[in-house]
């Protein structure tokens, strides 16, 4: 989705686009920046395998692509990247999905080798973003710290993101979608991790989505949404809502839904058909100026 920027709307919202080749926006103390880069080179691909201690990685990893949201006054930084997401995949280590055609899959082994699916080849990740507080040199000296970064603390909440409030036609000052990694499962489905962000005069909103379809077997959807209203510049509050859904093709067919994989190309259109496995709401109270 291409968004044509209206400079009058930017000015009215007190916002400005980032310069010097950076793709993003600065508004109400926040810098929102996205980067869409090429897939990893073969040498970097190998380095990632060594760091993650695995010989299995998605076919397409956009290692330098990322989305970064930083609250400048406090140094609070929320970012999304493929490496941290794959680290989550490695740590969760789900059992491999049983696939009828698995014996014929030779896509990760030499023809002379036996295919043993003893790892989660779907690259399902529990990743919901990375966050930290970055302090500049002056603040580090004040705190007598050499690291310069601190973790942030999310708190459980009963509050949910008001999606209806996001529906009214408010100008979109900035929008982008970043693909972090993708795998077509040897033409047997899709495994895809993306993050989308949109910035309006009143707030920013993002969706981190992991989408899996193993044709004829399973669908899995893990969504994380974040919303921050521009109320208090010094102490903004971010609401994070995570919802994981999944279902087998067999269970969907039993409910009268199509069993053809072609009917499930768009996760947004079928998400409500998938039962909820986990739902969690949290809030992050960004600290005041440090």
């Amino acid at each position: 989705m291409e968004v044509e920027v209206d400079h009058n709307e930017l000015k009215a919202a007190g916002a400005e686009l980032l310069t010097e080749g950076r793709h993003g926006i600065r508004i109400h103390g926040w810098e929102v920046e996205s980067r869409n880069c090429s897939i990893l080179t073969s040498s970097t691909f190998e380095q990632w395998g060594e760091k993650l201690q695995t010989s299995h990685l998605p076919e397409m990893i956009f290692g330098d692509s990322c989305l970064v949201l930083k609250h400048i006054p406090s140094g609070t930084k929320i970012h999304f990247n493929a490496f941290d997401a794959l680290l989550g995949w490695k740590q969760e280590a789900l059992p491999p999905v049983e696939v009828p055609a698995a014996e014929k899959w030779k896509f990760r082994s030499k023809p002379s080798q036996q295919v043993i699916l003893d790892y989660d080849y779907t690259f399902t990740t529990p990743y919901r973003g990375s966050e930290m507080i970055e302090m500049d040199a002056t603040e580090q000296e004040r705190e007598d710290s050499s690291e310069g970064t601190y973790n942030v603390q999310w708190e459980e909440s009963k509050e949910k993101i008001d999606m209806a409030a996001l529906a009214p036609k408010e100008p979109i000052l900035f929008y982008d979608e970043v693909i972090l990694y993708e795998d077509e499962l040897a033409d047997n489905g899709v495994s895809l991790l993306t993050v989308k962000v949109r910035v309006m005069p009143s707030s920013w909103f993002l969706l981190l989505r992991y989408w899996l379809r193993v044709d004829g077997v399973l669908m899995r959807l893990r969504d994380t949404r974040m919303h921050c209203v521009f109320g208090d510049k010094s102490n903004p509050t971010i609401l994070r809502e995570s919802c994981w859904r999944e279902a087998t093709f067999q269970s969907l067919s039993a409910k009268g839904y199509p069993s053809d994989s072609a009917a499930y190309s768009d996760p947004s259109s079928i998400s409500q058909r998938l039962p909820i496995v986990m739902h969690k709401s949290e809030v992050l109270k960004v600290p005041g100026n440090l």
Side-chain angles (χ1 to χ4, degrees):
M1 181 176 95
E2 291 289 335
V3 174
E4 195 170 323
V5 178
D6 186 317
H7 291 280
N8 290 328
E9 291 176 345
L10 280 172
K11 186 177 180 180
E16 60 181 353
L17 297 179
L18 300 183
T19 58
E20 299 179 349
R22 300 169 68 196
H23 186 57
I25 191 172
R26 186 179 292 110
I27 182 171
H28 294 290
W30 286 93
E31 274 192 1
V32 180
E33 181 179 4
S34 61
R35 297 177 203 159
N36 281 285
C37 305
S38 304
I39 62 173
L40 293 182
T41 62
S42 56
S43 59
T44 310
F45 194 90
E46 292 178 6
Q47 291 172 9
W48 277 45
E50 292 174 2
K51 289 179 181 178
L52 292 165
Q53 298 183 329
T54 180
S55 58
H56 310 292
L57 287 172
E59 294 170 331
M60 293 174 283
I61 303 176
F62 300 86
D64 292 324
S65 295
C66 63
L67 173 66
V68 181
L69 304 97
K70 185 169 183 179
H71 185 244
I72 302 301
S74 69
T76 301
K77 177 181 175 182
I78 300 172
H79 58 108
F80 303 85
N81 63 86
F83 187 87
D84 287 353
L86 288 170
L87 188 60
W89 157 75
K90 190 70 165 49
Q91 291 171 343
E92 188 176 31
L94 293 177
V97 177
E98 293 292 334
V99 182
E103 293 182 1
K104 300 178 182 178
W105 286 17
K106 303 293 184 182
F107 64 106
R108 300 202 189 279
S109 302
K110 295 179 180 179
S112 59
Q113 296 176 329
Q114 180 182 1
V115 176
I116 302 176
L117 294 178
D118 57 355
Y119 68 100
D120 175 22
Y121 62 85
T122 70
F123 304 103
T124 299
T125 177
Y127 185 61
R128 297 187 297 151
S130 310
E131 57 274 325
M132 65 182 71
I133 297 176
E134 293 183 331
M135 298 176 69
D136 60 28
T138 303
E139 298 297 340
Q140 289 179 48
E141 292 170 5
R142 186 182 303 168
E143 299 292 332
D144 192 25
S145 168
S146 58
E147 293 185 3
T149 61
Y150 298 86
N151 294 329
V152 301
Q153 189 65 45
W154 293 89
E155 299 175 1
E156 286 197 31
S157 172
K158 294 182 179 180
E159 187 178 358
K160 293 184 178 182
I161 296 174
D162 186 356
M163 298 302 294
L166 290 168
K169 288 293 184 180
E170 190 178 12
I172 297 178
L173 306 176
F174 177 76
Y175 170 88
D176 203 3
E177 177 178 9
V178 179
I179 299 175
L180 299 178
Y181 63 75
E182 183 175 4
D183 196 301
E184 295 183 351
L185 309 180
D187 295 326
N188 283 268
V190 63
S191 171
L192 176 66
L193 182 66
T194 63
V195 60
K196 302 177 184 180
V197 65
R198 75 178 192 255
V199 181
M200 293 78 68
S202 66
S203 65
W204 59 254
F205 173 78
L206 69 84
L207 168 63
L208 173 72
R209 168 166 285 174
Y210 170 79
W211 164 238
L212 169 71
R213 189 189 73 244
V214 182
D215 291 343
V217 182
L218 176 74
M219 282 183 288
R220 179 179 288 154
L221 187 63
R222 292 185 170 186
D223 283 348
T224 294
R225 292 173 171 84
M226 293 188 193
H227 186 219
C228 178
V229 176
F230 301 137
D232 186 340
K233 273 190 188 181
S234 302
N235 300 87
T237 298
I238 303 169
L239 191 60
R240 178 169 74 179
E241 191 173 344
S242 302
C243 185
W244 295 0
R245 298 172 179 267
E246 69 176 69
T248 63
F249 273 75
Q250 184 177 8
S251 66
L252 289 172
S253 180
K255 293 178 180 179
Y257 294 123
S259 56
D260 183 5
S261 298
Y264 301 103
S265 59
D266 180 11
S268 296
S269 64
I270 56 93
S271 61
Q272 297 303 313
R273 298 181 184 178
L274 307 181
I276 294 176
V277 176
M278 185 278 283
H279 185 278
K280 188 175 186 179
S281 291
E282 298 163 292
V283 65
L284 173 63
K285 297 177 181 178
V286 176
N289 299 10
L290 296 178

